[in-house]
Amino acid sequence: MARSHTKIKSKDNILDYILLVIFIGVIIVTLYPFLNVLAISFNDPIDTMRNINFIIPRKFTWSNYTYVFQENNLFEPFAMSIVRTLVGTLTGVAATAMVAYVLSRRDFYFNKLFTVLFVITMYVSGGLVPEYLLITRTLKLGNHFLVYILPGLIWVYNIILIRSFIDGLPIALQEAARIDGANDFIIFAKIVLPLCKPVLATVALFVAVGQWNSFMDTYLYARDLPTLQYVLYEIMEKATIKVDPHAAEQLKSAVSPMSIRMAITIIATVPILIVYPFLQRYFVGGMTIGAVKD
């Protein structure tokens, strides 16, 4: 028995070592691209052009970030991005939660029909031209702040996620509240929403990332209200190398499009990295509970 127990323990140890090696490999594969981007953003542009396969800056410099911040006014676009992200996330989560609650109601006769119609929009759309005409001519939202909010107010995937989570809640809670005289608004606000914190945090993260990273809506509809992502996109497009090969001083101040692109990537990523740890616990819970049903 002792020898058999020793063999089992030995096999368990070997399995643990194998899993450890696999996890270390996954961590390396996951972290390397980010560390590479971070290193290039802080590395000398001329050195970067020679070889970009490294994870620490070989010739540390702030010139890439100096170029991004000093050559451009980023305060107003940054403020616009924060405002659209906050407003868009709050309104988007609220609207999505209300629609999901209605679709989860068993006494709503058309819930299956509306669910099918919503899902169809995930696979079929009117196209860019009808969307452009609708937003600019019909709704007249061109260069209006609401162009950042209304078109993306509801995402069908998020509706399905929240509805699935609500379906998993005990229906007895809603029935007991209704017996006590509560209407749908009270049930939604005081019973359903507090229990949906994990999935709401998950949806909030999805919407916030989408709002923060979006720049095509600015490019198409609201160039008079530029966001940080749009300005960074323009900087990246304009970044060129203007170097006289016979001028050593110019070589020191040269700007590499690759270096600027990586610096912009870090600038755009940091705010989300700061927010994510606060929502991680809810994010994992919302994805594992809300995604088990359709």
Side-chain angles (χ1 to χ4, degrees):
M1 289 292 293
R3 186 174 298 178
S4 176
H5 179 72
T6 302
K7 289 183 178 180
I8 294 175
K9 188 174 181 179
S10 176
K11 291 181 179 179
D12 290 340
N13 291 336
I14 294 175
L15 181 60
D16 290 340
Y17 288 131
I18 294 175
L19 291 176
L20 179 62
V21 172
I22 293 175
F23 289 150
I24 292 175
V26 171
I27 291 173
I28 293 174
V29 171
T30 304
L31 288 181
Y32 174 78
F34 180 79
L35 294 177
N36 181 240
V37 170
L38 185 64
I40 295 174
S41 70
F42 283 108
N43 198 57
D44 180 75
I46 301 301
D47 182 73
T48 296
M49 290 187 295
R50 296 169 183 162
N51 185 3
I52 62 174
N53 297 314
F54 52 90
I55 60 174
I56 58 174
R58 288 193 297 260
K59 295 182 179 180
F60 185 87
T61 179
W62 290 97
S63 62
N64 302 316
Y65 290 92
T66 300
Y67 174 85
V68 173
F69 285 101
Q70 287 188 354
E71 297 292 330
N72 304 273
N73 180 17
L74 298 182
F75 177 76
E76 292 183 2
F78 182 74
M80 179 62 68
S81 290
I82 291 179
V83 172
R84 73 165 289 182
T85 300
L86 292 176
V87 176
T89 301
L90 292 175
T91 55
V93 171
T96 304
M98 287 187 285
V99 174
Y101 172 71
V102 172
L103 294 179
S104 70
R105 296 292 305 170
R106 298 179 182 178
D107 54 354
F108 179 48
Y109 184 77
F110 298 103
N111 59 353
K112 292 185 179 180
L113 173 62
F114 278 94
T115 300
V116 171
L117 293 177
F118 276 124
V119 171
I120 289 175
T121 64
M122 297 177 65
Y123 302 96
V124 181
S125 65
L128 181 59
V129 174
E131 178 183 341
Y132 181 84
L133 295 177
L134 173 66
I135 292 176
T136 58
R137 294 188 180 182
T138 304
L139 300 179
K140 300 186 184 302
L141 293 179
N143 289 316
H144 195 289
F145 179 75
L146 290 179
V147 77
Y148 293 141
I149 308 301
L150 294 182
L153 190 63
I154 294 177
W155 297 359
V156 177
Y157 176 78
N158 294 338
I159 292 176
I160 297 174
L161 200 64
I162 298 178
R163 192 207 65 181
S164 299
F165 191 96
I166 295 175
D167 287 341
L169 299 176
I171 192 63
L173 295 176
Q174 299 184 37
E175 292 176 349
R178 191 171 297 278
I179 292 174
D180 290 338
N183 56 30
D184 285 324
F185 292 101
I186 295 177
I187 294 174
F188 173 72
K190 295 188 176 181
I191 296 178
V192 175
L193 282 186
L195 295 174
C196 288
K197 286 182 181 179
V199 73
L200 292 180
T202 302
V203 171
L205 184 62
F206 287 161
V207 177
V209 171
Q211 287 282 2
W212 179 261
N213 289 334
S214 179
F215 69 92
M216 281 302 297
D217 48 6
T218 304
Y219 179 81
L220 293 172
Y221 310 117
R223 295 193 183 186
D224 292 344
L225 300 172
T227 58
L228 178 64
Q229 302 298 336
Y230 177 71
V231 173
L232 293 178
Y233 170 78
E234 285 191 325
I235 296 173
M236 186 171 61
E237 289 293 311
K238 295 177 181 178
T240 56
I241 303 176
K242 298 180 180 179
V243 182
D244 181 358
H246 301 291
E249 291 300 321
Q250 261 196 327
L251 283 172
K252 293 180 181 179
S253 60
V255 175
S256 165
M258 175 65 72
S259 301
I260 298 303
R261 191 178 300 117
M262 298 309 172
I264 289 173
T265 301
I266 296 299
I267 295 171
T269 304
V270 166
I272 297 299
L273 292 180
I274 294 174
V275 172
Y276 178 75
F278 297 99
L279 299 177
Q280 182 180 11
R281 176 165 60 93
Y282 296 110
F283 177 78
V284 174
M287 288 302 295
T288 54
I289 298 176
V292 294
K293 297 182 179 182
D294 61 345

